[in-house]
Every structure is written in C-alpha cells, then in structure tokens.
Amino acid sequence: MPRQTHQDASETELAFCPRSQVRRSAKNASYERASIYQLIDDLKTAHLGFVENGEPRVIPITCWRVDDDLYIHTGNKGRLAKHLQSGQLVVLSFAECSEWVMSKSAYHHSANYRSAVLYCHAETVTDEAEFDAAFRVLINQLEDGRWDAVRPPNRQERKATVLVRLPMNEGAFKARTGGPNEEPEDLSLPVWHGTMPAR
C-alpha cells in the first residue's frame, strides 16, 4: 500500500513524506517539479535502487522523461524486468557535481551540485503506440528529428524489450551553489579559496 504523504503531489511540486523529506541542509531542498525535470532531462542517467531477496541492489541506468512520467527499458525476463513489473517500490537517484568548493579550512570544502531522489512504482507499457512515442522522445532529445530517420523497432526487438513507465509523484530536489563558507578567523590564512570546475 502506498505510504501516506505529508503533502499531496501537485502540478508544480512533488509530494513528500518522512522517507523523502530532506532534513540535512534543508534550506538547499526543493520539491518543485521544474528543477527535478530539468536535471532528469540534462542527465538521462539514474541509479536505480531496489531490494532483492532482502538485499539492496543499485544499478546505473538510462532513463528519460515524458511529461510527468519517467521511462526505463531493460531486457525481457531479466531480474530487473521482473522486479519492475511486480510494481514494488523503487528509488531513483540523480546527481551532478558541477564545481568543487575550495575553502581555507579542510572542514568547509564542499561541492556545488544538483541532485534528486524519487520514489516510484513502475507500470509496464503494453500499448505499441506508447512504446514508440516514449522512445521517439528519447531519440529526438539526443538529436532533433532522428526518430524519423532511423528504422523503428521490429517485432523481435519489441518482444526482447520491457518498457516501464514510472509516474513521478514523490521525491525531492537538492542543490548547492556559491563559494565557500569560511570561519572569520580563517580569512587571513594565506591559501586560495573559491570554486573550480569539477570536470
């Protein structure tokens, strides 16, 4: 049974409950869909977590967004496909580090980043039109108009592929920007401080 959330999902925000509410550095948190959606669209890669036989599993996986839903594809009859098709809860984590924050003290070194964690239940896509429409979005995001130039999936490829839709209803976004937070007594130390690119 889905956990009751402290806030119902809305058009602009995701719902959250104790498992998804950000507590550490809560001032950096947001539940706004726009920030989460932009991160997903930029990365198209998540770490997918689930429990199998009482043990945690985390798998890096390609995923993409169509409106308020995520899509993931995997091989038919594999363990991931079976877990997703069971409808059990999964968690998806997205993260991007853009800058290292260099401080005059070891303690205040940090990172500027964007991150999101979503809690979802997968729904198997069985409709052929939705199957094609979802992959069309991904391929055209990689290169505009590419779907119309490539060969569409054939019957054998469709049979080998499980596509699932994950409605985005619960989760949180967290980000940091800016320079280091320094202690007043450290400002006179003769060491450079500021930000530098993470890549």
Side-chain angles (χ1 to χ4, degrees):
M1 177 179 295
R3 184 177 297 202
Q4 185 175 5
T5 56
H6 285 179
Q7 173 190 324
D8 292 329
S10 70
E11 290 185 7
T12 61
E13 290 191 340
L14 294 182
F16 61 88
C17 67
R19 71 181 170 200
S20 50
Q21 185 174 11
V22 176
R23 293 178 178 81
R24 181 179 169 86
S25 301
K27 62 180 174 54
N28 295 335
S30 167
Y31 303 92
E32 290 290 330
R33 290 180 182 270
S35 298
I36 296 168
Y37 289 5
Q38 186 63 62
L39 178 61
I40 293 168
D41 292 348
D42 289 345
L43 296 183
K44 295 182 180 62
T45 303
H47 285 85
L48 173 69
F50 59 98
V51 176
E52 180 184 56
N53 299 325
E55 296 179 343
R57 307 279 188 256
V58 178
I59 298 174
I61 196 164
T62 298
C63 68
W64 66 100
R65 182 182 67 87
V66 180
D67 298 325
D68 295 327
D69 297 320
L70 284 176
Y71 284 87
I72 290 173
H73 74 292
T74 186
N76 197 3
K77 299 182 180 178
R79 66 175 185 172
L80 179 57
K82 291 176 183 177
H83 186 89
L84 291 168
Q85 290 177 308
S86 75
Q88 296 181 61
L89 182 70
V90 297
V91 60
L92 295 105
S93 173
F94 304 82
E96 175 194 59
C97 176
S98 57
E99 293 179 314
W100 296 116
V101 180
M102 313 298 285
S103 171
K104 289 177 178 285
S105 72
Y107 180 80
H108 285 302
H109 278 70
S110 187
N112 286 333
Y113 64 90
R114 294 183 297 162
S115 65
V117 176
L118 302 174
Y119 293 84
C120 303
H121 296 271
E123 303 167 355
T124 305
V125 174
T126 57
D127 180 75
E128 191 170 298
E130 182 181 357
F131 185 98
D132 283 359
F135 280 106
R136 181 185 298 112
V137 168
L138 171 62
I139 290 174
N140 283 343
Q141 284 180 352
L142 300 178
E143 182 183 14
D144 189 40
R146 187 172 181 83
W147 177 264
D148 293 329
V150 301
R151 175 182 61 78
N154 60 34
R155 185 178 299 277
Q156 182 178 353
E157 291 165 342
R158 292 175 190 278
K159 189 175 181 180
T161 304
V162 169
L163 178 67
V164 297
R165 177 193 331 102
L166 299 104
M168 289 184 282
N169 296 314
E170 181 190 347
F173 176 83
K174 192 176 177 184
R176 186 196 190 281
T177 59
N181 298 316
E182 302 287 16
E183 301 297 336
E185 60 270 23
D186 293 335
L187 291 174
S188 61
L189 292 174
V191 60
W192 177 84
H193 67 159
T195 63
M196 65 182 194
R199 296 185 181 87

Short mmCIF file of all heavy atoms in Angstrom, two decimals, residues 70-136:
data_model
loop_
_atom_site.label_atom_id
_atom_site.label_comp_id
_atom_site.label_asym_id
_atom_site.label_seq_id
_atom_site.Cartn_x
_atom_site.Cartn_y
_atom_site.Cartn_z
N LEU A 70 8.58 9.03 -15.89
CA LEU A 70 9.88 8.52 -16.30
C LEU A 70 9.68 7.23 -17.08
O LEU A 70 8.71 6.50 -16.85
CB LEU A 70 10.75 8.21 -15.08
CG LEU A 70 11.38 9.37 -14.33
CD1 LEU A 70 12.10 8.84 -13.10
CD2 LEU A 70 12.35 10.13 -15.22
N TYR A 71 10.62 6.95 -17.97
CA TYR A 71 10.60 5.68 -18.68
C TYR A 71 11.96 5.00 -18.55
O TYR A 71 13.01 5.67 -18.59
CB TYR A 71 10.28 5.88 -20.17
CG TYR A 71 8.82 6.17 -20.43
CD1 TYR A 71 8.34 7.47 -20.37
CD2 TYR A 71 7.93 5.14 -20.70
CE1 TYR A 71 7.00 7.75 -20.59
CE2 TYR A 71 6.58 5.41 -20.93
CZ TYR A 71 6.13 6.71 -20.87
OH TYR A 71 4.80 6.97 -21.08
N ILE A 72 11.93 3.69 -18.37
CA ILE A 72 13.13 2.85 -18.30
C ILE A 72 12.88 1.63 -19.16
O ILE A 72 11.78 1.07 -19.15
CB ILE A 72 13.42 2.42 -16.85
CG1 ILE A 72 13.87 3.62 -16.00
CG2 ILE A 72 14.47 1.32 -16.80
CD1 ILE A 72 14.02 3.29 -14.53
N HIS A 73 13.90 1.20 -19.89
CA HIS A 73 13.77 -0.05 -20.64
C HIS A 73 14.86 -1.01 -20.20
O HIS A 73 15.96 -0.60 -19.80
CB HIS A 73 13.81 0.19 -22.15
CG HIS A 73 15.16 0.50 -22.69
ND1 HIS A 73 15.84 1.67 -22.41
CD2 HIS A 73 15.98 -0.23 -23.50
CE1 HIS A 73 16.99 1.67 -23.03
NE2 HIS A 73 17.12 0.53 -23.70
N THR A 74 14.56 -2.29 -20.27
CA THR A 74 15.51 -3.33 -19.88
C THR A 74 15.17 -4.59 -20.66
O THR A 74 14.13 -4.67 -21.33
CB THR A 74 15.47 -3.57 -18.36
OG1 THR A 74 16.51 -4.48 -18.00
CG2 THR A 74 14.13 -4.14 -17.91
N GLY A 75 16.03 -5.58 -20.56
CA GLY A 75 15.80 -6.84 -21.26
C GLY A 75 14.64 -7.62 -20.66
O GLY A 75 14.45 -7.66 -19.44
N ASN A 76 13.87 -8.25 -21.51
CA ASN A 76 12.73 -9.05 -21.07
C ASN A 76 13.21 -10.27 -20.28
O ASN A 76 14.23 -10.86 -20.60
CB ASN A 76 11.92 -9.50 -22.29
CG ASN A 76 10.53 -9.97 -21.91
OD1 ASN A 76 10.15 -9.92 -20.75
ND2 ASN A 76 9.79 -10.44 -22.89
N LYS A 77 12.49 -10.59 -19.24
CA LYS A 77 12.70 -11.79 -18.41
C LYS A 77 13.91 -11.71 -17.49
O LYS A 77 14.20 -12.66 -16.78
CB LYS A 77 12.78 -13.05 -19.28
CG LYS A 77 11.52 -13.32 -20.07
CD LYS A 77 11.62 -14.59 -20.88
CE LYS A 77 10.32 -14.82 -21.67
NZ LYS A 77 10.41 -16.04 -22.51
N GLY A 78 14.63 -10.58 -17.48
CA GLY A 78 15.73 -10.43 -16.54
C GLY A 78 15.22 -10.09 -15.15
O GLY A 78 14.05 -9.79 -14.95
N ARG A 79 16.14 -10.09 -14.17
CA ARG A 79 15.71 -9.84 -12.79
C ARG A 79 15.18 -8.43 -12.60
O ARG A 79 14.24 -8.21 -11.85
CB ARG A 79 16.84 -10.12 -11.81
CG ARG A 79 18.02 -9.17 -11.92
CD ARG A 79 19.03 -9.44 -10.83
NE ARG A 79 20.11 -8.44 -10.89
CZ ARG A 79 21.05 -8.36 -9.96
NH1 ARG A 79 21.05 -9.17 -8.93
NH2 ARG A 79 21.98 -7.43 -10.06
N LEU A 80 15.78 -7.46 -13.30
CA LEU A 80 15.29 -6.09 -13.17
C LEU A 80 13.90 -5.97 -13.77
O LEU A 80 13.02 -5.33 -13.18
CB LEU A 80 16.25 -5.12 -13.85
CG LEU A 80 15.83 -3.64 -13.81
CD1 LEU A 80 15.63 -3.17 -12.37
CD2 LEU A 80 16.86 -2.77 -14.51
N ALA A 81 13.69 -6.58 -14.93
CA ALA A 81 12.37 -6.55 -15.55
C ALA A 81 11.33 -7.15 -14.63
O ALA A 81 10.23 -6.59 -14.46
CB ALA A 81 12.40 -7.29 -16.89
N LYS A 82 11.66 -8.26 -14.03
CA LYS A 82 10.71 -8.93 -13.13
C LYS A 82 10.38 -8.06 -11.93
O LYS A 82 9.23 -7.97 -11.51
CB LYS A 82 11.27 -10.28 -12.68
CG LYS A 82 11.34 -11.31 -13.79
CD LYS A 82 11.99 -12.60 -13.31
CE LYS A 82 12.10 -13.60 -14.46
NZ LYS A 82 12.80 -14.84 -14.03
N HIS A 83 11.41 -7.40 -11.38
CA HIS A 83 11.16 -6.54 -10.22
C HIS A 83 10.30 -5.34 -10.60
O HIS A 83 9.33 -5.01 -9.91
CB HIS A 83 12.47 -6.06 -9.60
CG HIS A 83 12.29 -5.31 -8.33
ND1 HIS A 83 12.25 -5.92 -7.10
CD2 HIS A 83 12.07 -3.98 -8.10
CE1 HIS A 83 12.04 -5.01 -6.16
NE2 HIS A 83 11.94 -3.83 -6.74
N LEU A 84 10.64 -4.70 -11.71
CA LEU A 84 9.86 -3.54 -12.14
C LEU A 84 8.42 -3.92 -12.45
O LEU A 84 7.48 -3.21 -12.08
CB LEU A 84 10.51 -2.89 -13.36
CG LEU A 84 11.85 -2.19 -13.11
CD1 LEU A 84 12.52 -1.85 -14.43
CD2 LEU A 84 11.67 -0.94 -12.27
N GLN A 85 8.23 -5.06 -13.10
CA GLN A 85 6.89 -5.48 -13.48
C GLN A 85 6.06 -5.91 -12.28
O GLN A 85 4.84 -5.95 -12.36
CB GLN A 85 6.97 -6.61 -14.50
CG GLN A 85 7.48 -6.13 -15.86
CD GLN A 85 7.64 -7.25 -16.87
OE1 GLN A 85 8.27 -8.27 -16.60
NE2 GLN A 85 7.05 -7.07 -18.04
N SER A 86 6.72 -6.19 -11.15
CA SER A 86 5.99 -6.57 -9.94
C SER A 86 5.29 -5.38 -9.30
O SER A 86 4.43 -5.55 -8.44
CB SER A 86 6.93 -7.22 -8.93
OG SER A 86 7.76 -6.23 -8.32
N GLY A 87 5.70 -4.18 -9.67
CA GLY A 87 5.09 -2.99 -9.09
C GLY A 87 5.62 -2.60 -7.73
O GLY A 87 5.11 -1.68 -7.09
N GLN A 88 6.69 -3.28 -7.27
CA GLN A 88 7.27 -2.93 -5.97
C GLN A 88 7.97 -1.58 -6.04
O GLN A 88 8.38 -1.12 -7.11
CB GLN A 88 8.26 -4.01 -5.54
CG GLN A 88 7.63 -5.37 -5.30
CD GLN A 88 8.65 -6.40 -4.86
OE1 GLN A 88 9.30 -6.23 -3.82
NE2 GLN A 88 8.82 -7.44 -5.65
N LEU A 89 8.12 -0.97 -4.89
CA LEU A 89 8.74 0.35 -4.79
C LEU A 89 10.19 0.30 -5.26
O LEU A 89 10.94 -0.61 -4.92
CB LEU A 89 8.69 0.85 -3.35
CG LEU A 89 9.26 2.26 -3.11
CD1 LEU A 89 8.34 3.31 -3.72
CD2 LEU A 89 9.41 2.50 -1.61
N VAL A 90 10.57 1.30 -6.06
CA VAL A 90 11.96 1.50 -6.44
C VAL A 90 12.32 2.95 -6.12
O VAL A 90 11.45 3.82 -6.00
CB VAL A 90 12.22 1.20 -7.93
CG1 VAL A 90 11.95 -0.26 -8.23
CG2 VAL A 90 11.40 2.11 -8.83
N VAL A 91 13.62 3.20 -5.98
CA VAL A 91 14.09 4.56 -5.75
C VAL A 91 15.09 4.90 -6.83
O VAL A 91 15.91 4.07 -7.22
CB VAL A 91 14.70 4.71 -4.33
CG1 VAL A 91 15.87 3.78 -4.13
CG2 VAL A 91 15.11 6.15 -4.06
N LEU A 92 14.99 6.12 -7.35
CA LEU A 92 15.90 6.59 -8.39
C LEU A 92 16.64 7.81 -7.89
O LEU A 92 16.03 8.74 -7.36
CB LEU A 92 15.15 6.93 -9.67
CG LEU A 92 14.46 5.76 -10.36
CD1 LEU A 92 12.97 5.84 -10.11
CD2 LEU A 92 14.75 5.74 -11.84
N SER A 93 17.96 7.80 -8.07
CA SER A 93 18.80 8.91 -7.63
C SER A 93 19.51 9.52 -8.83
O SER A 93 20.08 8.79 -9.66
CB SER A 93 19.83 8.38 -6.62
OG SER A 93 20.77 9.38 -6.29
N PHE A 94 19.46 10.85 -8.90
CA PHE A 94 20.14 11.61 -9.95
C PHE A 94 21.11 12.58 -9.27
O PHE A 94 20.74 13.21 -8.29
CB PHE A 94 19.15 12.42 -10.78
CG PHE A 94 18.05 11.61 -11.41
CD1 PHE A 94 16.92 11.26 -10.69
CD2 PHE A 94 18.14 11.21 -12.74
CE1 PHE A 94 15.91 10.52 -11.26
CE2 PHE A 94 17.12 10.48 -13.32
CZ PHE A 94 16.00 10.13 -12.59
N ALA A 95 22.31 12.72 -9.81
CA ALA A 95 23.25 13.66 -9.20
C ALA A 95 24.24 14.18 -10.23
O ALA A 95 24.70 13.43 -11.09
CB ALA A 95 24.00 13.01 -8.04
N GLU A 96 24.54 15.47 -10.11
CA GLU A 96 25.52 16.11 -10.97
C GLU A 96 26.34 17.08 -10.13
O GLU A 96 25.79 17.97 -9.50
CB GLU A 96 24.84 16.87 -12.10
CG GLU A 96 25.78 17.67 -12.96
CD GLU A 96 25.07 18.67 -13.85
OE1 GLU A 96 24.36 19.54 -13.32
OE2 GLU A 96 25.21 18.54 -15.08
N CYS A 97 27.65 16.88 -10.10
CA CYS A 97 28.55 17.81 -9.42
C CYS A 97 29.16 18.73 -10.47
O CYS A 97 29.80 18.25 -11.42
CB CYS A 97 29.64 17.05 -8.67
SG CYS A 97 30.88 18.10 -7.90
N SER A 98 28.98 20.03 -10.32
CA SER A 98 29.49 20.98 -11.32
C SER A 98 30.78 21.67 -10.87
O SER A 98 31.61 22.03 -11.72
CB SER A 98 28.43 22.04 -11.62
OG SER A 98 28.04 22.71 -10.43
N GLU A 99 30.95 21.88 -9.57
CA GLU A 99 32.12 22.60 -9.07
C GLU A 99 32.56 22.04 -7.72
O GLU A 99 31.73 21.61 -6.92
CB GLU A 99 31.81 24.09 -8.86
CG GLU A 99 31.54 24.87 -10.12
CD GLU A 99 31.22 26.33 -9.82
OE1 GLU A 99 30.41 26.58 -8.90
OE2 GLU A 99 31.78 27.20 -10.50
N TRP A 100 33.88 22.06 -7.48
CA TRP A 100 34.41 21.83 -6.15
C TRP A 100 34.54 23.18 -5.45
O TRP A 100 34.99 24.15 -6.04
CB TRP A 100 35.77 21.14 -6.22
CG TRP A 100 35.69 19.76 -6.81
CD1 TRP A 100 36.26 19.34 -7.97
CD2 TRP A 100 35.01 18.63 -6.27
NE1 TRP A 100 35.98 18.01 -8.20
CE2 TRP A 100 35.21 17.55 -7.16
CE3 TRP A 100 34.25 18.42 -5.12
CZ2 TRP A 100 34.67 16.28 -6.95
CZ3 TRP A 100 33.71 17.15 -4.91
CH2 TRP A 100 33.93 16.10 -5.80
N VAL A 101 34.13 23.21 -4.20
CA VAL A 101 34.19 24.44 -3.41
C VAL A 101 35.40 24.33 -2.50
O VAL A 101 35.45 23.49 -1.60
CB VAL A 101 32.90 24.63 -2.59
CG1 VAL A 101 32.98 25.90 -1.77
CG2 VAL A 101 31.68 24.67 -3.51
N MET A 102 36.40 25.18 -2.76
CA MET A 102 37.69 25.11 -2.07
C MET A 102 37.73 26.15 -0.96
O MET A 102 37.56 27.35 -1.20
CB MET A 102 38.82 25.37 -3.06
CG MET A 102 38.70 24.58 -4.37
SD MET A 102 38.76 22.79 -4.12
CE MET A 102 40.51 22.60 -3.80
N SER A 103 37.93 25.67 0.26
CA SER A 103 37.89 26.53 1.43
C SER A 103 39.28 26.71 2.04
O SER A 103 40.22 25.98 1.73
CB SER A 103 36.94 25.92 2.47
OG SER A 103 37.01 26.61 3.69
N LYS A 104 39.38 27.67 2.92
CA LYS A 104 40.61 27.87 3.68
C LYS A 104 40.75 26.87 4.83
O LYS A 104 41.80 26.78 5.46
CB LYS A 104 40.67 29.30 4.23
CG LYS A 104 40.90 30.36 3.13
CD LYS A 104 40.86 31.77 3.69
CE LYS A 104 41.14 32.81 2.62
NZ LYS A 104 42.56 32.87 2.23
N SER A 105 39.68 26.12 5.10
CA SER A 105 39.74 25.08 6.12
C SER A 105 39.33 23.76 5.48
O SER A 105 38.52 23.73 4.55
CB SER A 105 38.81 25.40 7.29
OG SER A 105 37.46 25.22 6.90
N ALA A 106 39.88 22.66 5.99
CA ALA A 106 39.52 21.34 5.46
C ALA A 106 38.02 21.08 5.64
O ALA A 106 37.36 20.52 4.77
CB ALA A 106 40.34 20.26 6.16
N TYR A 107 37.49 21.51 6.78
CA TYR A 107 36.10 21.21 7.13
C TYR A 107 35.10 21.80 6.14
O TYR A 107 34.07 21.20 5.85
CB TYR A 107 35.81 21.73 8.54
CG TYR A 107 34.40 21.47 9.02
CD1 TYR A 107 34.05 20.22 9.51
CD2 TYR A 107 33.43 22.47 8.98
CE1 TYR A 107 32.76 19.97 9.95
CE2 TYR A 107 32.14 22.23 9.42
CZ TYR A 107 31.80 20.97 9.90
OH TYR A 107 30.53 20.73 10.33
N HIS A 108 35.38 22.99 5.62
CA HIS A 108 34.40 23.70 4.80
C HIS A 108 34.55 23.45 3.30
O HIS A 108 33.86 24.09 2.50
CB HIS A 108 34.45 25.20 5.09
CG HIS A 108 33.82 25.57 6.39
ND1 HIS A 108 32.51 25.27 6.69
CD2 HIS A 108 34.33 26.19 7.50
CE1 HIS A 108 32.22 25.71 7.91
NE2 HIS A 108 33.31 26.27 8.43
N HIS A 109 35.43 22.54 2.89
CA HIS A 109 35.44 22.15 1.48
C HIS A 109 34.09 21.50 1.16
O HIS A 109 33.51 20.79 1.98
CB HIS A 109 36.57 21.16 1.20
CG HIS A 109 37.89 21.82 1.00
ND1 HIS A 109 38.58 22.44 2.02
CD2 HIS A 109 38.65 21.98 -0.12
CE1 HIS A 109 39.71 22.94 1.55
NE2 HIS A 109 39.78 22.68 0.24
N SER A 110 33.59 21.77 -0.03
CA SER A 110 32.26 21.27 -0.38
C SER A 110 32.17 21.08 -1.90
O SER A 110 33.19 21.03 -2.59
CB SER A 110 31.19 22.26 0.12
OG SER A 110 29.89 21.73 -0.07
N ALA A 111 30.95 20.98 -2.38
CA ALA A 111 30.70 20.84 -3.82
C ALA A 111 29.44 21.61 -4.18
O ALA A 111 28.51 21.72 -3.37
CB ALA A 111 30.54 19.37 -4.19
N ASN A 112 29.42 22.13 -5.39
CA ASN A 112 28.19 22.69 -5.94
C ASN A 112 27.58 21.62 -6.83
O ASN A 112 28.27 21.04 -7.68
CB ASN A 112 28.47 23.97 -6.72
CG ASN A 112 28.77 25.13 -5.80
OD1 ASN A 112 28.31 25.17 -4.65
ND2 ASN A 112 29.54 26.11 -6.27
N TYR A 113 26.31 21.35 -6.66
CA TYR A 113 25.71 20.18 -7.27
C TYR A 113 24.21 20.38 -7.46
O TYR A 113 23.60 21.30 -6.92
CB TYR A 113 25.93 18.96 -6.38
CG TYR A 113 25.24 19.08 -5.04
CD1 TYR A 113 23.94 18.62 -4.86
CD2 TYR A 113 25.86 19.70 -3.97
CE1 TYR A 113 23.28 18.77 -3.63
CE2 TYR A 113 25.23 19.86 -2.75
CZ TYR A 113 23.94 19.38 -2.58
OH TYR A 113 23.29 19.54 -1.38
N ARG A 114 23.63 19.47 -8.23
CA ARG A 114 22.19 19.28 -8.31
C ARG A 114 21.92 17.81 -8.07
O ARG A 114 22.65 16.95 -8.57
CB ARG A 114 21.64 19.66 -9.69
CG ARG A 114 21.75 21.12 -10.06
CD ARG A 114 21.11 21.39 -11.42
NE ARG A 114 21.80 20.67 -12.50
CZ ARG A 114 21.26 20.45 -13.70
NH1 ARG A 114 20.03 20.85 -13.98
NH2 ARG A 114 21.96 19.81 -14.63
N SER A 115 20.86 17.49 -7.34
CA SER A 115 20.53 16.09 -7.10
C SER A 115 19.03 15.94 -6.89
O SER A 115 18.33 16.90 -6.55
CB SER A 115 21.27 15.55 -5.87
OG SER A 115 20.82 16.22 -4.70
N ALA A 116 18.56 14.73 -7.12
CA ALA A 116 17.15 14.42 -6.90
C ALA A 116 17.02 12.96 -6.53
O ALA A 116 17.78 12.11 -7.00
CB ALA A 116 16.31 14.73 -8.15
N VAL A 117 16.05 12.67 -5.68
CA VAL A 117 15.71 11.30 -5.32
C VAL A 117 14.21 11.14 -5.49
O VAL A 117 13.43 11.96 -4.97
CB VAL A 117 16.13 10.96 -3.87
CG1 VAL A 117 15.67 9.56 -3.50
CG2 VAL A 117 17.64 11.08 -3.71
N LEU A 118 13.80 10.10 -6.22
CA LEU A 118 12.38 9.85 -6.49
C LEU A 118 12.01 8.45 -6.02
O LEU A 118 12.80 7.51 -6.13
CB LEU A 118 12.09 9.96 -7.99
CG LEU A 118 12.42 11.29 -8.66
CD1 LEU A 118 12.20 11.17 -10.16
CD2 LEU A 118 11.57 12.41 -8.09
N TYR A 119 10.78 8.31 -5.52
CA TYR A 119 10.23 7.03 -5.12
C TYR A 119 9.07 6.71 -6.06
O TYR A 119 8.14 7.51 -6.19
CB TYR A 119 9.75 7.07 -3.67
CG TYR A 119 10.88 7.24 -2.68
CD1 TYR A 119 11.38 8.50 -2.38
CD2 TYR A 119 11.45 6.13 -2.07
CE1 TYR A 119 12.43 8.65 -1.48
CE2 TYR A 119 12.50 6.28 -1.17
CZ TYR A 119 12.98 7.54 -0.88
OH TYR A 119 14.03 7.69 0.01
N CYS A 120 9.15 5.55 -6.71
CA CYS A 120 8.20 5.26 -7.78
C CYS A 120 7.76 3.80 -7.77
O CYS A 120 8.47 2.92 -7.27
CB CYS A 120 8.81 5.54 -9.15
SG CYS A 120 9.42 7.22 -9.41
N HIS A 121 6.61 3.56 -8.37
CA HIS A 121 6.13 2.22 -8.69
C HIS A 121 5.99 2.14 -10.20
O HIS A 121 5.33 2.98 -10.82
CB HIS A 121 4.77 1.95 -8.01
CG HIS A 121 4.84 1.95 -6.52
ND1 HIS A 121 5.11 0.82 -5.79
CD2 HIS A 121 4.68 2.96 -5.62
CE1 HIS A 121 5.11 1.13 -4.49
NE2 HIS A 121 4.85 2.41 -4.37
N ALA A 122 6.60 1.13 -10.80
CA ALA A 122 6.62 1.02 -12.26
C ALA A 122 5.33 0.41 -12.79
O ALA A 122 4.69 -0.43 -12.14
CB ALA A 122 7.81 0.17 -12.71
N GLU A 123 4.97 0.85 -13.98
CA GLU A 123 3.82 0.31 -14.71
C GLU A 123 4.32 -0.14 -16.08
O GLU A 123 4.92 0.65 -16.81
CB GLU A 123 2.73 1.38 -14.86
CG GLU A 123 2.27 1.95 -13.52
CD GLU A 123 1.43 3.22 -13.68
OE1 GLU A 123 1.29 3.71 -14.83
OE2 GLU A 123 0.94 3.72 -12.66
N THR A 124 4.07 -1.40 -16.45
CA THR A 124 4.55 -1.92 -17.72
C THR A 124 3.78 -1.32 -18.88
O THR A 124 2.56 -1.24 -18.86
CB THR A 124 4.41 -3.45 -17.76
OG1 THR A 124 5.09 -4.01 -16.61
CG2 THR A 124 5.03 -4.02 -19.02
N VAL A 125 4.53 -0.89 -19.90
CA VAL A 125 3.91 -0.33 -21.10
C VAL A 125 3.62 -1.48 -22.07
O VAL A 125 4.55 -2.18 -22.51
CB VAL A 125 4.84 0.70 -21.78
CG1 VAL A 125 4.25 1.17 -23.10
CG2 VAL A 125 5.07 1.88 -20.84
N THR A 126 2.37 -1.69 -22.39
CA THR A 126 1.97 -2.75 -23.31
C THR A 126 1.42 -2.19 -24.62
O THR A 126 1.35 -2.92 -25.62
CB THR A 126 0.90 -3.66 -22.67
OG1 THR A 126 -0.22 -2.86 -22.28
CG2 THR A 126 1.47 -4.37 -21.43
N ASP A 127 1.06 -0.93 -24.63
CA ASP A 127 0.50 -0.31 -25.83
C ASP A 127 1.63 0.04 -26.81
O ASP A 127 2.58 0.74 -26.45
CB ASP A 127 -0.29 0.95 -25.44
CG ASP A 127 -0.88 1.63 -26.65
OD1 ASP A 127 -1.88 1.12 -27.19
OD2 ASP A 127 -0.33 2.69 -27.05
N GLU A 128 1.51 -0.44 -28.03
CA GLU A 128 2.57 -0.24 -29.03
C GLU A 128 2.76 1.23 -29.36
O GLU A 128 3.89 1.69 -29.57
CB GLU A 128 2.25 -1.04 -30.29
CG GLU A 128 3.40 -1.11 -31.27
CD GLU A 128 3.16 -2.10 -32.39
OE1 GLU A 128 3.01 -3.31 -32.08
OE2 GLU A 128 3.12 -1.67 -33.56
N ALA A 129 1.68 1.98 -29.41
CA ALA A 129 1.79 3.42 -29.72
C ALA A 129 2.54 4.16 -28.63
O ALA A 129 3.38 5.03 -28.91
CB ALA A 129 0.40 4.01 -29.92
N GLU A 130 2.27 3.83 -27.36
CA GLU A 130 3.01 4.47 -26.26
C GLU A 130 4.47 4.04 -26.26
O GLU A 130 5.36 4.85 -25.99
CB GLU A 130 2.37 4.14 -24.90
CG GLU A 130 3.08 4.84 -23.75
CD GLU A 130 2.50 4.52 -22.38
OE1 GLU A 130 1.50 3.78 -22.30
OE2 GLU A 130 3.07 5.02 -21.39
N PHE A 131 4.71 2.77 -26.57
CA PHE A 131 6.07 2.25 -26.66
C PHE A 131 6.88 3.09 -27.65
O PHE A 131 7.96 3.60 -27.34
CB PHE A 131 6.01 0.79 -27.11
CG PHE A 131 7.32 0.06 -27.15
CD1 PHE A 131 7.71 -0.75 -26.09
CD2 PHE A 131 8.17 0.16 -28.25
CE1 PHE A 131 8.92 -1.44 -26.12
CE2 PHE A 131 9.37 -0.52 -28.29
CZ PHE A 131 9.75 -1.32 -27.22
N ASP A 132 6.33 3.28 -28.85
CA ASP A 132 7.03 4.06 -29.87
C ASP A 132 7.15 5.53 -29.48
O ASP A 132 8.19 6.16 -29.68
CB ASP A 132 6.30 3.95 -31.21
CG ASP A 132 6.57 2.62 -31.91
OD1 ASP A 132 7.34 1.80 -31.36
OD2 ASP A 132 6.01 2.40 -32.99
N ALA A 133 6.08 6.08 -28.91
CA ALA A 133 6.10 7.50 -28.54
C ALA A 133 7.16 7.78 -27.48
O ALA A 133 7.84 8.82 -27.54
CB ALA A 133 4.72 7.92 -28.03
N ALA A 134 7.32 6.88 -26.51
CA ALA A 134 8.32 7.08 -25.45
C ALA A 134 9.73 7.05 -26.03
O ALA A 134 10.57 7.92 -25.72
CB ALA A 134 8.17 6.01 -24.38
N PHE A 135 10.02 6.07 -26.90
CA PHE A 135 11.35 6.00 -27.49
C PHE A 135 11.59 7.14 -28.47
O PHE A 135 12.72 7.62 -28.62
CB PHE A 135 11.57 4.65 -28.16
CG PHE A 135 11.92 3.56 -27.20
CD1 PHE A 135 11.00 2.59 -26.85
CD2 PHE A 135 13.18 3.52 -26.61
CE1 PHE A 135 11.32 1.59 -25.95
CE2 PHE A 135 13.51 2.52 -25.71
CZ PHE A 135 12.58 1.54 -25.37
N ARG A 136 10.53 7.61 -29.12
CA ARG A 136 10.66 8.75 -30.03
C ARG A 136 11.15 9.98 -29.25
O ARG A 136 12.03 10.71 -29.72
CB ARG A 136 9.33 9.06 -30.70
CG ARG A 136 9.41 10.24 -31.68
CD ARG A 136 8.04 10.60 -32.24
NE ARG A 136 7.47 9.51 -33.01
CZ ARG A 136 6.40 8.81 -32.64
NH1 ARG A 136 5.76 9.10 -31.51
NH2 ARG A 136 5.95 7.84 -33.40
#
